Amino acid sequence: MFPELNSILSSSPDSFRSGDFIVLSDRQADASFLIHHYLSFYLRAGCKVCFLGLVQSFSHYSAVSQRLGVSLTQAREKGQLVFLEGLKDSIGVLSQEESSQSKLPLSYLRSPGAGLECLFKFVESSVSQNTENEDGEKWGPPVLLIDDLSVLLTLGVSAGAILDFTLYCQATICSELQGNIGILVRREEEDVEDEGSNLLQKGLIHQCSLALHVEGLPTGYCRDIHGQMEVWWRSREDAMYNQRKVFHYKVHDKGASFFARGTSSALL
């Protein structure tokens, strides 16, 4: 969890908006540090978290979270964290008989055109079951985090099917249960035209209430600054409301620093 980012977003584990749909994206940079931030943030907040790790192993996320002061192993053991390890579970899906894996969360690997109904049912049950901790106290609002959603495009799932999935998740988690969603997607390079990727990006931005976009510096590599992050607040109540700010950032081993664009001595 990054305190400076919390300050920018006016949030903390003790005080944050519910019903948020947050889109994290990057181009010529790596926004993975943001998904790690939100994972540690919501676990510290006492939320029930469903994490779809589609590109990295549990041990990877666990090692990063450990540096941020959060134990994913403990969170999973006490029922606060439900973790879908896509890399590991996909082997089981592909090696089983088709009839025996038709209802598994990753069944789309065999039939991408069939949609993501099973994955949604997994998410729905994950955030609805075991809503109390070992002391009998209820967990905080449910949270769905996905890293990264755009990998489904490369597996043959259509952008339309992915957006249907996110809309169902938003209706259930954000609207019905007053929880939050955080999704990481990768943007194509500016000179690469990909209709599916562009459709997915536009659809997610239309759904979201907050977008954080990370990209490399326009001036090129800088040792002391890793890139810039655009923060776009979008009101759910007022469709005409838009506010954008750009910050430079530097990722450290146990955190990240953020500062308003133009205030870093490294770029002077």
Side-chain angles (χ1 to χ4, degrees):
M1 184 181 70
F2 308 141
E4 290 186 27
L5 182 56
N6 289 341
S7 179
I8 291 172
L9 301 177
S10 300
S11 64
S12 72
D14 298 321
S15 177
F16 59 90
R17 293 202 322 174
S18 60
D20 264 350
F21 188 106
I22 305 168
V23 172
L24 316 172
S25 62
D26 59 28
R27 176 187 287 140
Q28 297 181 326
D30 187 359
S32 297
F33 69 96
L34 293 175
I35 204 74
H36 291 296
H37 161 77
Y38 277 109
L39 178 56
S40 61
F41 178 95
Y42 285 119
L43 288 176
R44 285 179 181 272
C47 296
K48 178 67 181 286
V49 178
C50 175
F51 192 98
L52 306 185
L54 303 180
V55 294
Q56 296 287 355
S57 65
F58 177 81
S59 59
H60 167 80
Y61 297 104
S62 180
V64 176
S65 295
Q66 199 72 43
R67 293 201 297 270
L68 298 178
V70 174
S71 172
L72 297 193
T73 301
Q74 290 181 5
R76 186 163 66 171
E77 288 176 350
K78 63 184 182 181
Q80 183 185 9
L81 172 66
V82 177
F83 189 96
L84 177 68
E85 191 168 356
L87 293 177
K88 180 180 178 180
D89 293 351
S90 61
I91 298 176
V93 172
L94 295 174
S95 62
Q96 292 181 20
E97 294 293 332
E98 186 171 355
S99 59
S100 63
Q101 50 78 47
S102 59
K103 294 184 179 181
L104 295 177
L106 302 183
S107 59
Y108 61 82
L109 290 173
R110 280 185 174 270
S111 304
L116 301 172
E117 181 181 356
C118 291
L119 186 59
F120 168 72
K121 288 182 177 179
F122 171 82
V123 171
E124 185 180 35
S125 64
S126 296
V127 298
S128 302
Q129 297 176 2
N130 300 322
T131 58
E132 295 182 352
N133 60 25
E134 54 193 11
D135 297 322
E137 299 174 347
K138 285 189 174 295
W139 296 117
V143 173
L144 170 64
L145 298 174
I146 306 176
D147 179 22
D148 82 64
L149 193 66
S150 51
V151 74
L152 298 180
L153 289 173
T154 66
L155 295 174
V157 183
S158 69
I162 298 174
L163 290 173
D164 285 343
F165 166 73
T166 59
L167 283 168
Y168 275 107
C169 289
Q170 185 177 29
T172 300
I173 297 174
C174 299
S175 299
E176 181 180 340
L177 301 176
Q178 285 299 295
N180 291 347
I181 294 177
I183 295 177
L184 175 64
V185 289
R186 308 291 185 182
R187 287 192 182 183
E188 297 291 343
E189 303 298 331
E190 292 184 4
D191 57 348
V192 176
E193 288 294 331
D194 187 314
E195 183 178 353
S197 179
N198 291 336
L199 177 61
L200 179 60
Q201 291 284 343
K202 291 179 180 178
L204 291 174
I205 291 298
H206 179 72
Q207 285 180 245
C208 78
S209 55
L210 173 66
L212 305 179
H213 176 64
V214 170
E215 60 183 20
L217 293 170
T219 54
Y221 172 78
C222 177
R223 183 183 62 182
D224 298 314
I225 306 298
H226 291 159
Q228 64 184 31
M229 178 184 71
E230 180 186 63
V231 182
W232 185 7
W233 289 271
R234 291 167 50 83
S235 173
R236 292 162 295 177
E237 293 78 18
D238 183 359
M240 299 300 293
Y241 175 85
N242 281 287
Q243 184 182 1
R244 302 188 192 216
K245 290 185 179 180
V246 178
F247 300 85
H248 288 137
Y249 72 89
K250 181 177 182 179
V251 179
H252 310 289
D253 185 50
K254 295 184 178 181
S257 299
F258 299 87
F259 25 83
R261 185 170 60 176
T263 62
S264 169
S265 60
L267 296 178
L268 299 179

